[in-house]
Amino acid sequence: MISEESYPEFATKPRWIVDPLDGRVNYLNGIPHYSVSIAFEGAGTADVSVVYHIPSDKLFTAIEGQGAYLNGRPISVSETTTLSDALVVTGFDPTTIKSQNFNQFRSLLDQTQGVRRFGSAAAELAMVANGKFDIFFERVLSVWDTAAGIQIIEEAGGKVTRIEQLDSSNREMVLASNPQIHQEAVSLISSSNQGD
């Protein structure tokens, strides 16, 4: 088992990846946006993922090769075709606030319909899978933040680009969206990253 409280991230499959409370700061402050994230990565068996958005009683699920669901009903990513119409959900880590790293977020602000920040990566990935947002982007994430949400997006027809950090922190940058705007979003983030 891998979780924020229990390492190592490099445990071999089969393995469970659990975040028992994604959005802890929201929870502690009475803000109704937090979730439980559970992923099972099989070895020779199907991967299974669950994100439960507790305040709204929304259960997002996916089984490898069988699609994604919200409370038992099929879901899919948005059909937005242009970056200018896309609504982005994101998170800010401490290094992002540094001016040289903020270029990516400035590009998203300039080139899209808007950017929102709520504070639970797992729930926000699931909301992209359900078409409520068009793009998810965050720079510094751990596997327990993303494992379930990424599978749910992929099973909902979305695309995900993950870039591992080249340091000892074992973190990654994640950009997820519908297929129509994914490459344009990746290109935007890549071009605005040249100064990092």
Side-chain angles (χ1 to χ4, degrees):
M1 179 178 290
I2 303 165
S3 75
E4 192 167 1
E5 294 76 24
S6 164
Y7 285 63
E9 257 182 80
F10 297 109
T12 57
K13 297 180 182 181
R15 63 185 189 176
W16 291 92
I17 303 171
V18 178
D19 192 342
L21 185 58
D22 185 45
R24 179 179 55 85
V25 172
N26 286 347
Y27 174 78
L28 292 174
N29 287 279
I31 298 168
H33 184 69
Y34 45 90
S35 60
V36 176
S37 176
I38 303 171
F40 174 74
E41 295 182 344
T45 58
D47 292 349
V48 178
S49 292
V50 173
V51 172
Y52 180 50
H53 187 261
I54 300 163
S56 65
D57 194 28
K58 291 183 177 176
L59 181 66
F60 299 87
T61 58
I63 299 174
E64 186 176 5
Q66 297 183 33
Y69 298 85
L70 168 56
N71 292 341
R73 296 184 178 182
I75 58 172
S76 62
V77 293
S78 75
E79 296 182 2
T80 299
T81 58
T82 61
L83 208 55
S84 61
D85 289 333
L87 186 58
V88 181
V89 64
T90 189
F92 291 101
D93 60 274
T95 60
T96 296
I97 305 305
K98 296 178 183 176
S99 60
Q100 70 268 27
N101 293 329
F102 198 72
N103 291 337
Q104 293 168 327
F105 290 94
R106 188 171 292 116
S107 296
L108 289 170
L109 284 166
D110 292 344
Q111 301 292 324
T112 64
Q113 182 186 159
V115 176
R116 303 291 182 266
R117 179 182 187 265
F118 293 109
S120 172
E124 289 141 28
L125 285 162
M127 292 167 80
V128 171
N130 192 31
K132 299 303 181 188
F133 291 100
D134 304 296
I135 298 171
F136 171 91
F137 174 69
E138 193 164 343
R139 288 180 55 99
V140 181
L141 291 165
S142 297
V143 67
W144 50 80
D145 298 316
T146 61
I150 283 175
Q151 185 188 5
I152 292 168
I153 285 181
E154 291 174 338
E155 288 295 321
K159 294 191 73 173
V160 179
T161 295
R162 303 164 78 171
I163 301 171
E164 293 182 12
Q165 290 191 341
L166 299 176
D167 58 28
S168 60
S169 67
N170 196 29
R171 301 289 183 102
E172 64 182 357
M173 179 177 359
V174 173
L175 190 149
S177 72
N178 71 35
Q180 293 93 321
I181 58 175
H182 192 75
Q183 191 52 55
E184 190 178 358
V186 169
S187 297
L188 178 65
I189 292 301
S190 299
S191 64
S192 61
N193 197 33
Q194 299 302 314
D196 282 7

